[in-house]
Amino acid sequence: MKNIKLCVQFDGTDYHGWQIQKNARTVQETLENAVSSLTGTGVRITGCGRTDSGVHAVNFVCNFFSDTSVPPEKLPFALNHRLPGDIICKKAEYADENFHSKNSARAKTYVYKIFNDSFPDVFSQRYSWHIKDPLDTGAMSLAAKGFLGEHDFMGFASSGFSVKTTVRTVYSLNVDTDGKNITVSVTGNGFLYNMVRIIAGTLVFAGLGKINPADISDIINSKDRTRAGITAPPNGLFLKEVYY
Amino acid sequence: MKNIKLCVQFDGTDYHGWQIQKNARTVQETLENAVSSLTGTGVRITGCGRTDSGVHAVNFVCNFFSDTSVPPEKLPFALNHRLPGDIICKKAEYADENFHSKNSARAKTYVYKIFNDSFPDVFSQRYSWHIKDPLDTGAMSLAAKGFLGEHDFMGFASSGFSVKTTVRTVYSLNVDTDGKNITVSVTGNGFLYNMVRIIAGTLVFAGLGKINPADISDIINSKDRTRAGITAPPNGLFLKEVYY
């Protein structure tokens, strides 16, 4: 059996996230069906992480074991014929037998997109959070600095997930502006449940003047979910890159 | 009765074009329902032109007569509450009683978007034509020059439409490249049925080496539809601006 690593892009709008669930359309199940139909045998695919309902991925990494004779360089084309248009396999390659998409990941980059204008934009509504009041991106950038480094991010997680520790390290967190489009990019060694969306919501609160950028450290240290901003909606979130 | 002019943005993916048809979801009907629900009386809205099934609009202009007391500056907000997310009213204003969205239009700008990479991109598939073979954008720009000016564009129209004349003037036609994204922008005094999509298809054929850029004038003068390129798919097309 070969360990095959895939790089997949998907528009999460019409999916209930990555992970297989009963009575819900998921990316994992759709991809497993495509791989099974190609290889002729049932397969279980391991993803680099859960993504929530409506969240997108530019480079989602997953892997599965198979004795398929289809060479990796042909796999994307063969899979894309079997996949709906909102999931695309961009690359396939053999990985070390110990490679595990989730457990081997050392860091991830997420991008959160905001559209800041008095009216929404029909073409970016699937892929961004519309904020109608003007955002102070300087304040957002200042607030972003407070997240850098190793912290206990207990206050930046939604309940419903059990983890060994809530300590995570944020390597970089940037706020970039291009006209009405604001992009938040964050790289860290791992993220708690909804952590990126709560960080995005907190930066937006800083941009709206509802949170003082200088208070971010205090808010993190308080471990109090209610002091952070709201959980930003899923449609603005993209898993951009997984590092191994 | 006041003549009210609207500027509307829509994602055409899930509509059978602008114009009302039986048993099909159209932008006109959706918008008329929203306006009627707001004003309390049935209304017929005049659009600046037909757009085909799947074609988008950044600034679609339309107008209707009404004695509504809602002031124009409040209309967009009131309408957007009654419209689905893929149609947005951006502006409303009173127009001269003789203003007619279609007949008063002096020129229009359309944009056609192409995504040029070996794999498609899930996030631009609703809004661009995916061409997997490399396009020579220099050849496309050269070919574009051949369209400028007044010509009989009979060979650049799909059948099924009756018009008084097939002579149109193209004021500008540009090909801009930003990485894998190629944007064709065309401004003219009017366009025949499918004309912009056939121009886009012809430019792509020039970019693929299937048509010699120097032959464009001959192809136009031949008035032979079969010598032009294919009709590019609707999802890459955007009505950008209407000039009065």
Side-chain angles (χ1 to χ4, degrees):
Chain A
M1 298 279 268
K2 282 155 284 193
N3 189 1
I4 299 174
K5 176 184 174 188
L6 300 180
C7 175
V8 174
Q9 193 186 63
F10 60 82
D11 176 338
T13 309
D14 299 328
Y15 293 91
H16 287 259
W18 162 262
Q19 194 163 297
I20 272 188
Q21 298 161 53
K22 267 195 177 166
N23 305 320
R25 188 172 182 244
T26 61
V27 178
Q28 186 184 4
E29 186 173 13
T30 307
L31 197 57
E32 287 182 355
N33 289 343
V35 172
S36 298
S37 130
L38 179 67
T39 61
T41 51
V43 71
R44 172 72 1 139
I45 303 181
T46 304
C48 59
R50 291 171 65 120
T51 60
D52 286 339
S53 199
V55 171
H56 317 291
V58 180
N59 290 302
F60 187 93
V61 178
C62 54
N63 70 297
F64 63 96
F65 288 87
S66 170
D67 51 15
T68 179
S69 59
V70 181
E73 63 274 18
K74 302 261 184 194
L75 260 177
F77 297 97
L79 282 176
N80 289 338
H81 280 294
R82 291 165 168 86
L83 284 168
D86 50 11
I87 303 180
I88 289 169
C89 174
K90 294 166 77 179
K91 197 179 172 188
E93 59 187 339
Y94 293 135
D96 186 273
E97 63 173 331
N98 297 318
F99 174 80
H100 185 285
S101 301
K102 184 160 181 275
N103 299 341
S104 309
R106 294 188 304 125
K108 283 179 189 162
T109 297
Y110 282 91
V111 160
Y112 195 93
K113 295 190 181 178
I114 295 159
F115 182 73
N116 190 213
D117 194 26
S118 50
F119 287 105
D121 178 88
V122 295
F123 307 111
S124 58
Q125 63 174 355
R126 291 167 77 95
Y127 309 122
S128 65
W129 182 17
H130 174 232
I131 301 287
K132 64 177 196 303
D133 296 314
L135 289 168
D136 177 347
T137 51
M140 292 172 73
S141 289
L142 213 58
K145 288 191 174 45
F147 288 94
L148 299 179
E150 187 182 273
H151 303 281
D152 184 339
F153 282 104
M154 203 172 87
F156 283 79
S158 293
S159 54
F161 249 67
S162 65
V163 284
K164 269 184 265 178
T165 167
T166 48
V167 174
R168 295 289 184 277
T169 303
V170 172
Y171 301 126
S172 69
L173 177 56
N174 297 308
V175 179
D176 296 303
T177 310
D178 176 14
K180 300 164 179 175
N181 300 295
I182 298 170
T183 304
V184 174
S185 308
V186 58
T187 301
N189 65 350
F191 296 93
L192 303 171
Y193 183 44
N194 280 347
M195 179 170 153
V196 179
R197 289 166 56 189
I198 301 171
I199 290 176
T202 303
L203 292 181
V204 163
F205 270 29
L208 293 170
K210 294 181 179 182
I211 283 180
N212 184 338
D215 291 345
I216 294 296
S217 292
D218 277 355
I219 294 171
I220 294 172
N221 292 335
S222 75
K223 298 181 185 121
D224 179 357
R225 173 69 191 87
T226 67
R227 289 195 57 196
I230 60 167
T231 304
N235 54 317
L237 184 60
F238 296 73
L239 171 60
K240 183 77 184 291
E241 207 74 52
V242 189
Y243 306 92
Y244 294 98
Chain B
M1 297 277 268
K2 283 154 283 194
N3 189 0
I4 299 175
K5 177 185 174 189
L6 300 180
C7 176
V8 174
Q9 193 186 64
F10 61 82
D11 176 338
T13 308
D14 298 330
Y15 293 91
H16 287 260
W18 163 262
Q19 192 164 296
I20 273 189
Q21 298 160 54
K22 266 196 175 163
N23 306 318
R25 188 172 182 244
T26 62
V27 179
Q28 186 185 2
E29 186 172 14
T30 308
L31 197 56
E32 286 182 356
N33 288 343
V35 172
S36 299
S37 129
L38 178 68
T39 61
T41 52
V43 71
R44 172 69 5 136
I45 303 181
T46 303
C48 59
R50 292 172 62 122
T51 61
D52 286 339
S53 197
V55 171
H56 316 291
V58 180
N59 290 302
F60 187 94
V61 178
C62 53
N63 70 297
F64 63 95
F65 288 88
S66 171
D67 50 15
T68 178
S69 59
V70 181
E73 63 273 19
K74 301 259 183 198
L75 261 177
F77 297 97
L79 281 177
N80 290 337
H81 280 294
R82 291 164 166 86
L83 285 168
D86 50 10
I87 303 181
I88 288 168
C89 175
K90 294 166 77 179
K91 197 179 171 188
E93 58 188 341
Y94 293 135
D96 185 272
E97 63 172 332
N98 297 316
F99 174 79
H100 185 285
S101 301
K102 183 161 181 274
N103 299 341
S104 309
R106 295 188 305 123
K108 282 178 189 163
T109 297
Y110 281 93
V111 159
Y112 195 95
K113 295 191 180 177
I114 296 159
F115 182 73
N116 190 213
D117 194 26
S118 50
F119 287 104
D121 178 90
V122 295
F123 307 111
S124 58
Q125 62 174 356
R126 289 167 79 95
Y127 308 122
S128 66
W129 183 16
H130 173 232
I131 301 285
K132 64 178 199 300
D133 296 315
L135 288 169
D136 177 348
T137 51
M140 292 172 72
S141 288
L142 213 58
K145 289 193 175 38
F147 287 95
L148 298 178
E150 187 182 272
H151 303 280
D152 184 339
F153 282 105
M154 203 172 89
F156 283 79
S158 293
S159 53
F161 249 69
S162 66
V163 284
K164 271 184 262 177
T165 167
T166 47
V167 174
R168 296 289 184 276
T169 303
V170 172
Y171 301 126
S172 69
L173 177 55
N174 298 307
V175 179
D176 295 304
T177 308
D178 177 14
K180 299 163 180 177
N181 299 295
I182 298 168
T183 303
V184 174
S185 308
V186 59
T187 300
N189 64 350
F191 295 94
L192 303 171
Y193 183 43
N194 279 348
M195 181 170 152
V196 179
R197 289 165 56 188
I198 301 172
I199 291 176
T202 303
L203 293 180
V204 163
F205 270 29
L208 293 170
K210 293 182 180 181
I211 282 180
N212 185 336
D215 291 344
I216 295 296
S217 291
D218 277 355
I219 294 172
I220 294 172
N221 293 334
S222 75
K223 296 176 188 130
D224 179 357
R225 172 69 190 88
T226 65
R227 289 194 57 194
I230 59 167
T231 304
N235 54 315
L237 184 62
F238 297 72
L239 171 61
K240 183 78 184 292
E241 207 75 54
V242 189
Y243 306 93
Y244 295 98

